[in-house]
Amino acid sequence: MADDTSDRHISLGVPQPILDSLPEDGANAASDMQRAVEGIESSLNEAFERATSDAEAAGYAVDAIEHLEDRMETYDGFVPELRAWGQSPIYAIAWRNLQADLVAQIREYDWLDEHVERERNYRLVEDGIRFDKR
């Protein structure tokens, strides 16, 4: 089946529940989140335009997903540290939740998700992780 390269576009956003979770003085964080999401969306869409197939586009998506998952883990690590210092972890929680939601938003695109799963499995094997080895 040939790839239809004309429909390769995604739209990402900051979910309202995440924005609602920010404190009253969180306008700067909300603005930062929206700019960050716009940057990720723009970068992915530009990469998708350059891609010659859905599979190649999925490689760019997997790169973004892995980056988002790494950032999610980083923000998640801040939560107990902030609590230990007696500070509110609300911003770390909001940013962590945003990273997780963006991964889910990327995976919602049917044209992309099948190829993303294949690419992730390929990378697992390529990295030398083999479940049948002892």
Side-chain angles (χ1 to χ4, degrees), residues 2 18 25 27 35 40-41 56 73 88 104 120 124 130-131:
I18 291 176
D25 64 348
R35 275 195 308 277
I40 293 167
E41 177 184 303
E56 183 181 346
E73 288 178 22
S88 171
R120 292 196 89 174
L124 280 173
R130 304 221 194 301
F131 296 109

Side-chain angles (χ1 to χ4, degrees), residues 5-113:
T5 60
S6 63
D7 289 338
R8 274 200 228 119
H9 176 79
I10 63 170
S11 180
L12 304 174
V14 181
Q16 192 61 45
I18 291 176
L19 295 174
D20 292 343
S21 73
L22 296 172
E24 291 292 322
D25 64 348
N28 288 339
S31 178
D32 290 346
M33 287 178 171
Q34 290 168 336
R35 275 195 308 277
V37 170
E38 288 169 5
I40 293 167
E41 177 184 303
S42 175
S43 293
L44 278 173
N45 284 325
E46 287 172 14
F48 294 163
E49 286 178 25
R50 291 190 309 270
T52 58
S53 68
D54 286 350
E56 183 181 346
Y60 295 119
V62 171
D63 290 342
I65 288 169
E66 289 175 350
H67 175 74
L68 291 166
E69 288 172 341
D70 287 345
R71 291 183 65 180
M72 184 174 46
E73 288 178 22
T74 299
Y75 288 117
D76 196 47
F78 291 154
V79 172
E81 188 174 324
L82 288 166
R83 284 186 176 139
W85 285 95
Q87 298 180 3
S88 171
I90 190 63
Y91 291 107
I93 291 170
W95 279 97
R96 176 200 62 198
N97 293 348
L98 177 61
Q99 308 310 302
D101 197 270
L102 289 173
V103 169
Q105 288 180 50
I106 293 169
R107 300 289 307 260
E108 286 178 359
Y109 289 87
D110 291 335
W111 68 267
L112 187 58
D113 192 49

